[in-house]
Amino acid sequence: MVENDGNSENSKSAEQGKSKKNKIVVIGNGFDISLGLKTSYQNFIEYIKERHHFSEDIELYEYNRLFLKKYEKFNLNWSDFESLYEETVRKVNNRFKHEDLQDSFEIKVINEAISALEEDFHEYISDEYQKWLQQNTVINHGSEFKRFSKNVNPFIKKLIRDEDAYFINFNYTNTLEDLCEDIIYDYVDEKSIRGSRNKIRQAKERIAQIHGSIDDDNILFGGGFADSEDIKDIHYSESLLNDKLFRIKENDKLNTTRKNIFTELEEKKMILIFISLVIPYKGVISLF
């Protein structure tokens, strides 16, 4: 008869813990698009044109300086919009001869343009998100949790159920939280319902919306100068009012989220998984 060595078992368990790797899942805009939300930059442009009855691109530019004068033959995304903002700020700050009054005015106009677009996009994405919920969810046995009318991609199910997976979400909607409710909720009996509620809460705590959300009313647009060499060329301090890193640090919730992410990255071994494009499953390009 062979006796169990308790120390050996504990040592083995400790070694497994050390070798265990957590997963950081980075969620980009392609995630929401593949779920059926109209969240692309082009969708937003079409919304602004329709809402204000604009027929020409130049009207977009006159409405907000951060739109282009002409979009013909361009297929732009959100990173292009942010690049346009950054380039506009650089252009003012890098002039050979500074005219403080004029330059300050231009920076003020740019900052106001960012704020206006955030308001427009918040209104747009809030409406789109509610439409999407109405079209894709069904009554869930009298529960407050959401259930989808389509099956969720097994790969996403596996990640959401994985207690060692943490999500950095660059989107502003709650689609990932909604999927948690659908995937984890178990309505077999009262005991399983109570257990589901705890598991759903824990799953949602593993989701970090780093650029704000429509629920918290803190959608964040802007550029990135603070963490790059470009900051040495910034002549006007107002140019940094819409720097993303500065704005995150000024927002208590976003700054706490950022610090928690860095803590996780520093303390644990991580595997990075990027989900910014649609995921093929059995020939179907969809997350459902």
Side-chain angles (χ1 to χ4, degrees):
M1 179 176 175
V2 179
E3 294 184 3
N4 288 330
D5 184 344
N7 291 332
S8 176
E9 286 296 321
N10 290 336
S11 176
K12 183 177 179 182
S13 176
E15 283 299 317
Q16 287 176 340
K18 285 181 182 178
S19 62
K20 191 175 185 180
K21 290 186 178 180
N22 291 60
K23 304 169 190 69
I24 289 287
V25 185
V26 182
I27 303 291
N29 188 38
F31 183 87
D32 275 5
I33 291 174
S34 64
L35 285 171
L37 277 89
K38 297 178 180 179
T39 56
S40 72
Y41 183 47
Q42 189 61 43
N43 291 144
F44 179 51
I45 289 172
E46 292 304 319
Y47 161 77
I48 293 294
K49 290 175 78 170
E50 183 177 337
R51 178 185 174 190
H52 295 281
H53 308 290
F54 295 154
S55 57
E56 303 292 336
D57 290 341
I58 189 64
E59 293 174 289
L60 282 169
Y61 176 78
E62 291 169 351
Y63 172 73
N64 192 298
R65 281 275 304 277
L66 290 174
F67 285 126
L68 294 179
K69 292 181 179 179
K70 198 164 187 64
Y71 281 93
E72 186 180 353
K73 296 181 181 179
F74 286 102
N75 185 20
L76 302 180
N77 56 40
W78 285 109
S79 63
D80 296 308
F81 157 72
E82 291 177 347
S83 295
L84 175 62
Y85 162 74
E86 291 173 356
E87 187 57 36
T88 306
V89 171
R90 285 193 197 96
K91 185 178 178 182
V92 174
N93 280 275
N94 292 340
R95 284 175 178 156
F96 178 74
K97 184 178 180 181
H98 289 291
E99 297 290 343
D100 287 348
L101 190 61
Q102 177 63 27
D103 292 348
S104 294
F105 175 75
E106 288 195 40
I107 294 296
K108 180 176 180 289
V109 169
I110 294 166
N111 286 330
E112 289 174 348
I114 280 280
S115 296
L117 284 184
E118 286 176 347
E119 291 178 12
D120 283 337
F121 188 71
H122 186 282
E123 182 177 334
Y124 169 67
I125 195 61
S126 297
D127 288 345
E128 282 300 314
Y129 174 60
Q130 289 304 317
K131 287 178 191 174
W132 177 79
L133 285 176
Q134 291 171 10
Q135 293 167 359
N136 291 283
T137 56
V138 295
I139 296 172
N140 192 5
H141 303 275
S143 166
E144 72 272 25
F145 297 122
K146 300 176 186 69
R147 183 161 73 94
F148 289 97
S149 55
K150 301 174 185 176
N151 291 326
V152 179
N153 187 303
F155 177 66
I156 300 301
K157 280 186 176 182
K158 184 177 179 181
L159 284 175
I160 286 176
R161 290 185 182 277
D162 187 345
E163 295 179 2
D164 297 313
Y166 296 83
F167 299 84
I168 299 177
N169 190 358
F170 286 89
N171 296 328
Y172 306 108
T173 64
N174 290 338
T175 54
L176 198 54
E177 288 87 345
D178 297 333
L179 290 175
C180 288
E181 295 181 7
D182 176 273
I183 292 165
I184 296 173
Y185 183 67
D186 186 353
Y187 53 85
V188 173
D189 53 39
E190 190 60 36
K191 184 178 179 181
S192 65
I193 289 173
R194 286 197 301 270
S196 294
R197 286 196 174 98
N198 288 331
K199 288 181 180 178
I200 289 169
R201 175 182 54 78
Q202 291 165 0
K204 289 182 178 182
E205 287 174 353
R206 293 186 279 109
I207 301 171
Q209 288 182 283
I210 194 67
H211 284 166
S213 69
I214 52 179
D215 270 6
D216 292 331
D217 197 19
N218 59 352
I219 283 180
L220 192 156
F221 285 179
F225 299 102
D227 56 350
S228 72
E229 291 185 4
D230 285 342
I231 195 167
K232 69 180 187 300
D233 298 319
I234 297 298
H235 183 72
Y236 299 101
S237 60
E238 295 87 352
S239 303
L240 298 175
L241 288 178
N242 282 300
D243 181 273
K244 284 184 177 178
L245 183 55
F246 280 1
R247 293 185 66 189
I248 287 172
K249 288 182 175 180
E250 287 177 349
N251 184 289
D252 288 340
K253 184 170 184 177
L254 294 181
N255 195 34
T256 300
T257 298
R258 175 179 174 272
K259 288 178 179 177
N260 290 341
I261 290 171
F262 277 106
T263 299
E264 291 290 336
L265 289 172
E266 289 172 359
E267 292 181 353
K268 300 175 182 177
K269 294 181 179 179
M270 294 288 181
I271 299 173
L272 279 174
I273 302 172
F274 293 89
I275 305 179
S276 58
L277 300 173
V278 291
I279 300 172
Y281 177 69
K282 291 185 178 179
V284 180
I285 307 297
S286 175
L287 291 180
F288 281 127

